[in-house]
Amino acid sequence: MARFVLERLLGMVLTLFLVSIMVYFIMELPPGDYADRFAFRKYSGTGVTVTEAMIEEIRRDLGLDRPAYLRYFDWISGIVLRGDFGMAYSFLTPVTNVLGDKVWLTLGLLFATLLITYAVSIPIGIYAAVRRGSAADYGLTVFSYLGLALPNFLLALIMLYCANRWFGASVGGLFSPQFENAPWSLAKVWDLVKHLWLPAFVLAWSAVAYQLQTVRATMSDELNKLSVVAARARGVPETRLLVKYPARLAINPVVSTIGFDVNRIFSELPIVAAVLGLTELGDLLLKAYLDLDMNVAGAILLMLTTIIVVMNFVSDLLLGWLDPRIRMGA
Amino acid sequence: MDRLLSVENLSISFRTDEGPITPVQGVSFGVDRGRTLGIVGESGSGKSVSTKALMRLLPGSASLSPETRMRYRAKNGETVAIETLKPRDRALRRLRGGEIGMIFQEPMASFSPVYSIGNQMIETIRLHRGLGGRAARDLAVEMLAKVGISSPETRVDQYPHEMSGGMRQRAMIALALSAGPALLIADEPTTALDVTIQAQVLDLMRDLQRDLGMAMIFITHDLGVIAQIADEVAVMYLGTIVERGPTREVIRRPLHPYTRGLLEAIPAIDRLDARLKPVPGDIPSPSQRPSGCPFRTRCPEAVPGLCDRAAPRETAVGEGRAVRCHLHDAARAAA
Amino acid sequence: MAVLDDLRAPAETRAERRERERRERYYAASQWTLIWWRFRRHRAAMAGLAVLGLMAFLGLFAEFFAPYGQTTRNAQYLNGAPQWPMFCDANGCSARPFIHGTRTERDPVTLRSRAVPDPDMRLYVRFFVEGEPARLLGFLPISTRFFGVDGGGRIHLWGTDDLGRDVFSRTLFATRTSLSIGVMGVVISFVLALIIGGVAGYFGGIVDSVIQRVTEVIRVIPVIPLYMGLAAAMPRDWTTTQVYFAMTLILGLVGWPTLARRIRSQLLSIRNEDYVVAARLAGARPSRIIATHMLPSFTSFIIVDLVISFPYMILSETALSFVGLGLRPPAVSWGVMLQQAQSVRVIEQTPWLFIPAAFVVLAVLAFTLVGDGLRDAADPYSEAR
Ligand SMILES: Nc1ncnc2c1ncn2[C@@H]1O[C@H](COP(=O)(O)OP(=O)(O)OP(=O)(O)O)[C@@H](O)[C@H]1O
Ligand SMILES: [Mg+2]
């Protein structure tokens, strides 16, 4: 088991290293560099004409004239050693200030979404497989097709519309106005929970639709396995049989795709955030891209991806714990 | 004679996409306490589905004909009408495992890969023997030792994938026997194993059966194996029993052309130079059952105008022996 | 003797003969024919195929089916409601469908002028009317439109947007753009996947490990943020055409890993099959072995994967354009059109601006159904539904 964990851990570090290169590449992609944008920002509206020389000076001051691999090294070592993601030019403050507690908000949203996804898709998927061919099964299949086809921003708009209709205008966003800038307190946390369900529901929607199909398909497969027939032939009572034999194995593919679900959720996050007016990383990422504030964008992209990679690792561990064949490397 | 199980007129149909098929038609057989019945036949002849019907293990698409009668004399002396049991009946649960144990062809797939061998054995022991905790585990270890697994105390905590094929099949036998069934159904328990292991497992089963005084239904497509282990034999072809009787007699004096074909297909040491004669042709699928005698399409002695007109009836030939063949009936009529 | 046998054998009935012939045809049919036969039995998949066919047809000939051009404005009818052709109104019935004309009046509250239907003015719907000149398929000059109204009026089946552009016409043009971007994206990602997955799967070993790592990295970064990062880098001054091709390239660049993995694993699994080894021993070039010996054995799976990857392309394009990082006006795609429908206010006031969303849902649904149907048809042993 120790070896198993160590192997996965090493793999994770290597992946993160490659990811950081990829993210840096994306940060460098837009035409112009930080110095251009910084100068533009600093002098715009001041009446000063920005000259090429001034930009060149900023560039030299910030060390932007050095080769790309050195700048990458600066960037990544700043992050790893000092937790420093550089400056956010559009806010003229370090990126970490801009991010603030948004990382925690995003994580909260993520776990709320995952919770909804699994609490809904696993039991219902199992039910659909056991009742295969029934009206309920048919309805669920139709739902999951629709669920996968509905663009999330559309769902977000529909939900927002319904929520506005039935619950008044306070839905949307992550906080009520009076808590927006208040320090953390129990009341604020409760306010957050009250706001979280709507975005979590929207984000969980397609993940549910997807996992529902996975669980149903694996469960159907497992139900026909000889091991299930053999257990039945030993007189194991039916309900217990379903839980212990096929259902236990039917959640394996779900566990192994946790990282994939997180990826899917983060993928939808910026757009859903834009529609629902959420103030967390997804929203900030979109704004950063539109402003070409690449230090912020890169930091967020790196964070989101790191969370995915870590969740992949967690999923590997869980799977190893659930399945002795994987744990023992068979 | 002490009848443990008797099956009459067992017919099984499946609903399929291509319409209904009936792979088993009017099968009757019985097993006495402590004896072994061998069922032999080619792949697809309906051996597995027949025995699954005994445990009510057929999928939802299967149905039994109304004439089917399956009677089992339980340990407590009651007679169970298996075909009338409801899926949630306690009696059915007792029957499965507690009264009748079952071993399948693929030992790997019969175990759940995510639980240890011991876990699955203890579950069964708890269900049927009312033993808990330590006692159940001790019994599991004892059963493993009994089937010849070395160092059973450690093996009991191992997972199926940690065992070799032969060992897994032994564990499967231990699992089936751990609930103390009076009848063991072994569905081709040795086909997935290599020859030497096959012989060992066969020996083991014969010994266990004698020691425990169990009855057994042994399914195989190898008449040679039947000769070693079974007291009685039933030869199945395309869902019907074409010949049955005491093993020695059937092998010595086969009456049905199909049985003769099967016997000629067994390799024998003293005839190594002679060419083997497999039964010619392929077994038709149940959806294309020939009219008349099902075997006529492959029978070397089929008589046109007779065999394709009507299905032969079963004719009793002496004590406990029967055959289903027009030729035999005709010969008897002529005599 | 044979004659005698023939006589004795029970005569084959007609039903039996038909059955036998069906069987013989079945055994003689090629793999593709078989797949098509099985596919045809999937009603949902056939419906999906029909929907896609119709969309593609309408999109391809949008210059003919759309009554107006994609940027043509009707300043007299801003944010106008859909005008459904009718047969009857307060003034009686007519055999030819008609719509009511509009007149402009001032809103008493906002004092802004707005168009209201005039129930006394009838504009009759006519087919094959003379309209704006355009080039069909990009080169064929036409000025005939499929339908329109007479009397110099305008018909807006699905209403207009805030600039007075016809939603119906724009949706047809958008259908063409969105579907074609999907096709191009899939083609590009397929070519990349074929090369990369082919190399990895054929050579195996260290080449494979390295490629696997890189693939893994691209797969682990959340897709839409990755797309956005690439899209954000597009210079603002690019032309519509440049952006269009850049978009297909981005979609293709991000889409290949899944497909490449599939191709790789299939190749790895048949790498040591006898016929491949034989070809290798005979000295055939790797590219030739892959192309002629290995790929054909799983073409059907690749096609299924291609079809299944369409929805992702379409949804991604829509999402990117929706937030302003994809295609930019004046180009028109479903996502670009939906940019105008970003708030709840739109649902309340001009819900017809959501019509392109229905197209997105329909197209994604259709592609999914076709993909599932194809998968079942290509692999009868997969989960039987
Ligand atoms: N679930 C099912 N649905 C439809 N047909 C079935 C089903 N199970 C079995 N059959 C049919 O029943 C026939 C007999 O199958 P069975 O498994 O009993 O054969 P068998 O004699 O055990 O052969 P083998 O030696 O290969 O195990 C087969 O032809 C098969 O087509
Ligand atoms: Mg069988």
Side-chain angles (χ1 to χ4, degrees), chain B residues 134-154:
Chain B
R134 197 70 235 167
R137 190 186 156 87
D138 288 345
L139 184 60
V141 172
E142 192 190 317
M143 290 311 298
L144 286 179
K146 205 175 233 160
V147 296
I149 288 181
S150 55
S151 52
E153 300 83 2
T154 52

mmCIF file of all heavy atoms in Angstrom, chain B residues 134-154:
data_model
loop_
_atom_site.group_PDB
_atom_site.id
_atom_site.type_symbol
_atom_site.label_atom_id
_atom_site.label_comp_id
_atom_site.label_asym_id
_atom_site.label_seq_id
_atom_site.Cartn_x
_atom_site.Cartn_y
_atom_site.Cartn_z
ATOM 1 N N ARG B 134 -16.116 -15.852 15.651
ATOM 2 C CA ARG B 134 -14.998 -16.788 15.715
ATOM 3 C C ARG B 134 -15.370 -18.159 15.135
ATOM 4 O O ARG B 134 -14.663 -18.736 14.324
ATOM 5 C CB ARG B 134 -14.642 -16.911 17.193
ATOM 6 C CG ARG B 134 -13.295 -17.491 17.554
ATOM 7 C CD ARG B 134 -12.169 -16.586 17.217
ATOM 8 N NE ARG B 134 -11.270 -17.348 16.368
ATOM 9 C CZ ARG B 134 -10.276 -16.806 15.668
ATOM 10 N NH1 ARG B 134 -10.076 -15.525 15.714
ATOM 11 N NH2 ARG B 134 -9.488 -17.561 14.931
ATOM 12 N N ALA B 135 -16.533 -18.659 15.566
ATOM 13 C CA ALA B 135 -16.925 -20.013 15.173
ATOM 14 C C ALA B 135 -17.069 -20.116 13.653
ATOM 15 O O ALA B 135 -16.636 -21.097 13.044
ATOM 16 C CB ALA B 135 -18.235 -20.391 15.855
ATOM 17 N N ALA B 136 -17.661 -19.081 13.061
ATOM 18 C CA ALA B 136 -17.856 -19.099 11.612
ATOM 19 C C ALA B 136 -16.503 -19.113 10.911
ATOM 20 O O ALA B 136 -16.276 -19.860 9.954
ATOM 21 C CB ALA B 136 -18.671 -17.881 11.180
ATOM 22 N N ARG B 137 -15.593 -18.304 11.410
ATOM 23 C CA ARG B 137 -14.274 -18.231 10.801
ATOM 24 C C ARG B 137 -13.544 -19.562 10.936
ATOM 25 O O ARG B 137 -12.929 -20.045 9.980
ATOM 26 C CB ARG B 137 -13.474 -17.112 11.473
ATOM 27 C CG ARG B 137 -12.189 -16.812 10.749
ATOM 28 C CD ARG B 137 -11.368 -15.809 11.529
ATOM 29 N NE ARG B 137 -9.982 -15.968 11.162
ATOM 30 C CZ ARG B 137 -9.438 -15.350 10.115
ATOM 31 N NH1 ARG B 137 -10.156 -14.545 9.384
ATOM 32 N NH2 ARG B 137 -8.175 -15.547 9.820
ATOM 33 N N ASP B 138 -13.647 -20.161 12.130
ATOM 34 C CA ASP B 138 -12.996 -21.454 12.327
ATOM 35 C C ASP B 138 -13.527 -22.489 11.351
ATOM 36 O O ASP B 138 -12.778 -23.272 10.769
ATOM 37 C CB ASP B 138 -13.216 -21.941 13.767
ATOM 38 C CG ASP B 138 -12.388 -21.119 14.746
ATOM 39 O OD1 ASP B 138 -11.476 -20.405 14.269
ATOM 40 O OD2 ASP B 138 -12.669 -21.175 15.955
ATOM 41 N N LEU B 139 -14.848 -22.459 11.164
ATOM 42 C CA LEU B 139 -15.442 -23.421 10.236
ATOM 43 C C LEU B 139 -14.935 -23.173 8.813
ATOM 44 O O LEU B 139 -14.638 -24.110 8.075
ATOM 45 C CB LEU B 139 -16.968 -23.317 10.294
ATOM 46 C CG LEU B 139 -17.699 -24.347 9.430
ATOM 47 C CD1 LEU B 139 -17.360 -25.759 9.866
ATOM 48 C CD2 LEU B 139 -19.206 -24.129 9.486
ATOM 49 N N ALA B 140 -14.821 -21.897 8.448
ATOM 50 C CA ALA B 140 -14.325 -21.566 7.113
ATOM 51 C C ALA B 140 -12.919 -22.129 6.917
ATOM 52 O O ALA B 140 -12.610 -22.749 5.893
ATOM 53 C CB ALA B 140 -14.342 -20.057 6.904
ATOM 54 N N VAL B 141 -12.070 -21.916 7.929
ATOM 55 C CA VAL B 141 -10.698 -22.422 7.849
ATOM 56 C C VAL B 141 -10.721 -23.959 7.728
ATOM 57 O O VAL B 141 -10.006 -24.542 6.913
ATOM 58 C CB VAL B 141 -9.894 -21.987 9.084
ATOM 59 C CG1 VAL B 141 -8.531 -22.670 9.113
ATOM 60 C CG2 VAL B 141 -9.731 -20.480 9.094
ATOM 61 N N GLU B 142 -11.599 -24.567 8.505
ATOM 62 C CA GLU B 142 -11.691 -26.022 8.489
ATOM 63 C C GLU B 142 -12.100 -26.526 7.103
ATOM 64 O O GLU B 142 -11.551 -27.487 6.576
ATOM 65 C CB GLU B 142 -12.718 -26.446 9.538
ATOM 66 C CG GLU B 142 -12.718 -27.927 9.849
ATOM 67 C CD GLU B 142 -13.926 -28.272 10.710
ATOM 68 O OE1 GLU B 142 -14.226 -27.503 11.650
ATOM 69 O OE2 GLU B 142 -14.584 -29.281 10.410
ATOM 70 N N MET B 143 -13.066 -25.830 6.503
ATOM 71 C CA MET B 143 -13.526 -26.242 5.175
ATOM 72 C C MET B 143 -12.401 -26.103 4.152
ATOM 73 O O MET B 143 -12.219 -26.962 3.297
ATOM 74 C CB MET B 143 -14.714 -25.397 4.716
ATOM 75 C CG MET B 143 -16.017 -25.613 5.439
ATOM 76 S SD MET B 143 -16.528 -27.328 5.608
ATOM 77 C CE MET B 143 -16.696 -27.806 3.912
ATOM 78 N N LEU B 144 -11.643 -25.010 4.262
ATOM 79 C CA LEU B 144 -10.533 -24.811 3.325
ATOM 80 C C LEU B 144 -9.518 -25.943 3.474
ATOM 81 O O LEU B 144 -8.984 -26.457 2.487
ATOM 82 C CB LEU B 144 -9.863 -23.451 3.556
ATOM 83 C CG LEU B 144 -10.659 -22.239 3.073
ATOM 84 C CD1 LEU B 144 -9.899 -20.951 3.370
ATOM 85 C CD2 LEU B 144 -10.946 -22.344 1.576
ATOM 86 N N ALA B 145 -9.263 -26.314 4.742
ATOM 87 C CA ALA B 145 -8.328 -27.412 4.959
ATOM 88 C C ALA B 145 -8.874 -28.697 4.342
ATOM 89 O O ALA B 145 -8.151 -29.478 3.732
ATOM 90 C CB ALA B 145 -8.092 -27.586 6.453
ATOM 91 N N LYS B 146 -10.167 -28.868 4.471
ATOM 92 C CA LYS B 146 -10.799 -30.087 3.985
ATOM 93 C C LYS B 146 -10.681 -30.239 2.466
ATOM 94 O O LYS B 146 -10.576 -31.343 1.954
ATOM 95 C CB LYS B 146 -12.269 -30.084 4.397
ATOM 96 C CG LYS B 146 -12.866 -31.469 4.506
ATOM 97 C CD LYS B 146 -14.269 -31.388 5.030
ATOM 98 C CE LYS B 146 -14.435 -32.282 6.229
ATOM 99 N NZ LYS B 146 -15.573 -31.916 7.053
ATOM 100 N N VAL B 147 -10.722 -29.141 1.760
ATOM 101 C CA VAL B 147 -10.605 -29.245 0.303
ATOM 102 C C VAL B 147 -9.145 -29.227 -0.132
ATOM 103 O O VAL B 147 -8.847 -29.090 -1.323
ATOM 104 C CB VAL B 147 -11.368 -28.127 -0.439
ATOM 105 C CG1 VAL B 147 -12.849 -28.239 -0.171
ATOM 106 C CG2 VAL B 147 -10.839 -26.759 -0.051
ATOM 107 N N GLY B 148 -8.239 -29.337 0.834
ATOM 108 C CA GLY B 148 -6.835 -29.522 0.488
ATOM 109 C C GLY B 148 -6.097 -28.237 0.186
ATOM 110 O O GLY B 148 -5.142 -28.237 -0.591
ATOM 111 N N ILE B 149 -6.523 -27.150 0.797
ATOM 112 C CA ILE B 149 -5.778 -25.902 0.617
ATOM 113 C C ILE B 149 -4.785 -25.781 1.763
ATOM 114 O O ILE B 149 -5.163 -25.848 2.936
ATOM 115 C CB ILE B 149 -6.733 -24.694 0.589
ATOM 116 C CG1 ILE B 149 -7.487 -24.719 -0.736
ATOM 117 C CG2 ILE B 149 -5.986 -23.391 0.753
ATOM 118 C CD1 ILE B 149 -8.439 -23.583 -0.932
ATOM 119 N N SER B 150 -3.508 -25.606 1.420
ATOM 120 C CA SER B 150 -2.485 -25.554 2.463
ATOM 121 C C SER B 150 -2.514 -24.201 3.163
ATOM 122 O O SER B 150 -2.940 -23.198 2.580
ATOM 123 C CB SER B 150 -1.110 -25.784 1.841
ATOM 124 O OG SER B 150 -0.915 -24.852 0.808
ATOM 125 N N SER B 151 -2.048 -24.177 4.384
ATOM 126 C CA SER B 151 -2.090 -23.024 5.300
ATOM 127 C C SER B 151 -3.396 -22.234 5.165
ATOM 128 O O SER B 151 -3.391 -21.062 4.759
ATOM 129 C CB SER B 151 -0.892 -22.092 5.124
ATOM 130 O OG SER B 151 -0.735 -21.718 3.781
ATOM 131 N N PRO B 152 -4.499 -22.875 5.492
ATOM 132 C CA PRO B 152 -5.813 -22.241 5.331
ATOM 133 C C PRO B 152 -6.002 -21.008 6.197
ATOM 134 O O PRO B 152 -6.776 -20.122 5.841
ATOM 135 C CB PRO B 152 -6.798 -23.341 5.742
ATOM 136 C CG PRO B 152 -6.007 -24.305 6.545
ATOM 137 C CD PRO B 152 -4.609 -24.242 6.029
ATOM 138 N N GLU B 153 -5.245 -20.910 7.330
ATOM 139 C CA GLU B 153 -5.450 -19.751 8.202
ATOM 140 C C GLU B 153 -5.069 -18.454 7.490
ATOM 141 O O GLU B 153 -5.665 -17.410 7.727
ATOM 142 C CB GLU B 153 -4.617 -19.846 9.495
ATOM 143 C CG GLU B 153 -4.922 -21.043 10.364
ATOM 144 C CD GLU B 153 -4.181 -22.279 9.896
ATOM 145 O OE1 GLU B 153 -3.403 -22.161 8.924
ATOM 146 O OE2 GLU B 153 -4.380 -23.349 10.475
ATOM 147 N N THR B 154 -4.044 -18.509 6.631
ATOM 148 C CA THR B 154 -3.690 -17.295 5.908
ATOM 149 C C THR B 154 -4.507 -17.177 4.627
ATOM 150 O O THR B 154 -4.904 -16.095 4.228
ATOM 151 C CB THR B 154 -2.195 -17.269 5.552
ATOM 152 O OG1 THR B 154 -1.879 -18.491 4.903
ATOM 153 C CG2 THR B 154 -1.346 -17.087 6.785
#
